[in-house]
Amino acid sequence: MGKALIIGAGGVASVVVHKCCQNPDIFEEICIASRTLEKCEALKNKLEGSKTKITTAQVDADRTDEVINLINNFKPDIVINVALPYQDLTIMDACLATGVHYVDTANYEPPDTAKFEYKWQWAYKEKFEKAGLTALLGSGFDPGVTGVFTAYAQKHYFDEIHSIDIVDANAGDHGYPFATNFNPEINIREVTANGRYFENGEWIETPPLALKKVYDLPEIGPKDIYLMYHEELESLAVNIKGVKRIRFWMTFSENYLTHLKVLENVGMTSIEPIEFEGKQIIPLQFLKAVLPDPASLGPRTKGKTNIGCIIQGIKDGKPKTYYVYNVCDHQEAYAEVGSQAISYTTGVPAMIGAMLVMKGIWKKPGVYNVEEFDPDPFMEELNKNGLPWQESFSPTLLD
Ligand code: NDP
């Protein structure tokens, strides 16, 4: 069918590349481009013999001109951006300049402060409309599948959705006393930020991890879950009309939180530079250097993730509840594509989003979040591409 340019060559990109190669009728040709060419080459070598033709390129995606040149050389139908959130706008600019569709998995972040806001990318709506191009935002798991799950519930099971609780559980064990399963800087920043949720048209802020509950998750068992802010809350609050409350919960073990507390108390998570043996160092960056590299956790991680949406509302005048979730096994993901479940659950939906745009099923000029499209084809592809989902109509509810 066509060609995709994949920008980034990290954990998520590796899954996207494997999954594109499993769908060679759609992805006839892909180009893997990142800052470090050797990483792209290594990925290409892993997929030797694939029916999808693979090329590689070096690109600094902070520079729109470099991305434009690459697009003009490779001539893709779509760009799948799985670099970092800092590159979203430069890549969207390059897509507009060259007439190519765009997909990503995380909202744009200014390099200095994390905001978790869509405003910069939503501001591109008119430009994409005028250019007749589709920009699909947040096509990972959360954001991504959680939005598709919600749209599916709305389409098939509810006249009105009143509350959505997104529960993201990782019961993976890597065997280390303490490690973060993605970039420690971003991870620690996310966990130490204030919580926030949407209720009756307002955003309510809570101190970091102040709201805790225990939830018994299918295939995982009872876990401590903590209320956090997460970027899909912003778009769901706009796109799910009439919703009264949306919250996001994530599991953390007591062990993880105790380590984090100690590190915080002794100053190791600080981003203020300090002088050490005549040199300026940033404690958090030093901490990152002594912690295990997240990429090295893949082969050691055992256990499962379970991410889903618990939804309450009204159907035919009666109260209704619905829970839809996916369970992903770290070791099975690693055996299939060489990445653990966190990257797997992000990379598969990124490929599916790109596939639906390329097929014309999710093609519409403008900038969209996943819940704005018909969820059915996406739900079907999740089942076919390694992220089967399950549903229950009598879940335990979170008050
Ligand atoms: P990694 O850090 O493993 O990989 C990032 C890749 O981007 C690296 O190959 C890096 O290259 C490349 N890169 C960074 N800066 C540039 C640049 N200026 N130009 C070109 N390439 C660049 O990250 P992940 O694979 O774990 O995550 C990828 C994306 O997925 C992130 O945006 C993350 O926020 C998102 N994500 C979304 C989730 C969801 O559910 N929606 C969940 C998890 C992640 P190099 O190594 O050479 O620096």
Side-chain angles (χ1 to χ4, degrees):
M1 174 166 283
K3 296 197 215 178
L5 169 63
I6 298 162
I7 303 187
V12 175
S14 170
V15 178
V16 173
V17 169
H18 277 84
K19 288 291 168 182
C20 288
C21 291
Q22 289 176 14
N23 290 280
D25 296 344
I26 311 294
F27 299 95
E28 289 171 330
E29 207 176 326
I30 58 172
C31 174
I32 313 165
S34 191
R35 237 176 356 197
T36 315
L37 186 64
E38 299 85 74
K39 286 194 189 171
C40 308
E41 287 290 324
L43 213 49
K44 178 186 167 183
N45 293 339
K46 276 196 201 164
L47 283 139
E48 223 179 69
S50 151
K51 232 176 117 187
T52 299
K53 183 177 170 203
I54 306 175
T55 54
T56 60
Q58 199 272 332
V59 73
D60 178 356
D62 287 325
R63 300 190 43 156
T64 302
D65 56 334
E66 285 197 20
V67 184
I68 290 176
N69 283 341
L70 176 58
I71 294 177
N72 284 335
N73 284 335
F74 179 61
K75 302 196 172 17
D77 301 287
I78 194 160
V79 174
I80 306 175
N81 169 17
V82 276
L84 296 176
Y86 314 117
Q87 282 83 50
D88 288 4
L89 300 185
T90 44
I91 297 176
M92 287 174 86
D93 283 330
C95 285
L96 283 170
T98 52
V100 172
H101 303 295
Y102 171 88
V103 175
D104 69 26
T105 66
N107 68 221
Y108 168 73
E109 291 295 354
D112 44 350
T113 33
K115 300 274 190 209
F116 307 109
E117 281 179 26
Y118 279 113
K119 69 170 181 221
W120 292 280
Q121 290 181 279
W122 284 346
Y124 278 64
K125 194 168 181 71
E126 219 180 293
K127 287 187 194 165
F128 272 79
E129 273 168 8
K130 282 197 178 131
L133 295 171
T134 305
L136 179 63
L137 308 184
S139 190
F141 207 103
D142 44 344
V145 177
T146 49
V148 176
F149 281 170
T150 306
Y152 185 77
Q154 185 170 51
K155 179 174 174 186
H156 295 283
Y157 300 124
F158 289 92
D159 295 327
E160 283 171 37
I161 288 184
H162 291 167
S163 89
I164 307 165
D165 280 298
I166 300 168
V167 182
D168 177 335
N170 179 9
D173 180 7
H174 43 61
Y176 287 117
F178 182 79
T180 60
N181 53 28
F182 61 100
N183 186 307
E185 225 173 308
I186 296 175
N187 183 236
I188 288 168
R189 209 161 60 172
E190 208 174 79
V191 177
T192 51
N194 277 347
R196 194 159 23 126
Y197 65 99
F198 181 79
E199 190 161 47
N200 297 325
E202 281 177 36
W203 290 99
I204 297 161
E205 201 143 307
T206 63
L209 309 184
L211 259 173
K212 174 192 164 186
K213 291 182 189 292
V214 176
Y215 196 72
D216 193 356
L217 291 125
E219 295 186 47
I220 283 189
K223 291 276 167 223
D224 292 342
I225 57 170
Y226 294 84
L227 185 135
M228 287 176 59
Y229 182 69
H230 222 241
E231 67 193 60
E232 67 263 49
L233 301 190
E234 185 186 11
S235 71
L236 289 172
V238 174
N239 292 324
I240 305 300
K241 304 286 176 236
V243 67
K244 294 185 171 64
R245 188 178 69 189
I246 319 179
R247 299 179 299 188
F248 182 94
W249 306 85
M250 194 177 264
T251 56
F252 295 103
S253 68
E254 217 176 297
N255 173 59
Y256 177 91
L257 294 177
T258 307
H259 275 81
L260 192 63
K261 190 94 232 143
V262 173
L263 291 168
E264 237 182 320
N265 284 346
V266 298
M268 282 307 296
T269 59
S270 165
I271 52 169
E272 289 301 317
I274 57 152
E275 177 131 343
F276 179 70
E277 295 187 344
K279 257 195 202 149
Q280 291 279 309
I281 63 164
I282 292 172
L284 183 57
Q285 286 179 359
F286 178 75
L287 174 63
K288 184 181 169 196
V290 295
L291 286 176
D293 175 4
S296 71
L297 304 178
R300 317 169 41 110
T301 306
K302 298 188 175 86
K304 292 173 181 176
T305 61
N306 176 331
I307 315 174
C309 302
I310 304 160
I311 299 173
Q312 299 177 65
I314 302 280
K315 180 72 180 174
D316 299 329
K318 289 194 203 111
K320 186 170 178 112
T321 57
Y322 177 64
Y323 180 26
V324 53
Y325 60 91
N326 161 263
V327 174
C328 186
D329 185 286
H330 285 287
Q331 283 182 302
E332 279 172 22
Y334 193 79
E336 185 193 326
V337 299
S339 304
Q340 31 75 338
I342 308 291
S343 303
Y344 192 89
T345 53
T346 310
V348 171
M351 180 282 292
I352 295 174
M355 173 195 268
L356 295 181
V357 175
M358 282 171 78
K359 280 183 167 175
I361 300 174
W362 274 24
K363 197 184 277 176
K364 193 159 78 169
V367 174
Y368 298 98
N369 294 87
V370 290
E371 65 271 13
E372 294 177 83
F373 286 103
D374 178 8
D376 292 359
F378 202 107
M379 293 293 271
E380 214 178 296
E381 291 298 336
L382 285 171
N383 282 333
K384 287 189 200 155
N385 288 283
L387 292 179
W389 43 274
Q390 296 168 65
E391 51 189 3
S392 142
F393 293 90
S394 52
T396 311
L397 301 175
L398 287 159
D399 293 326

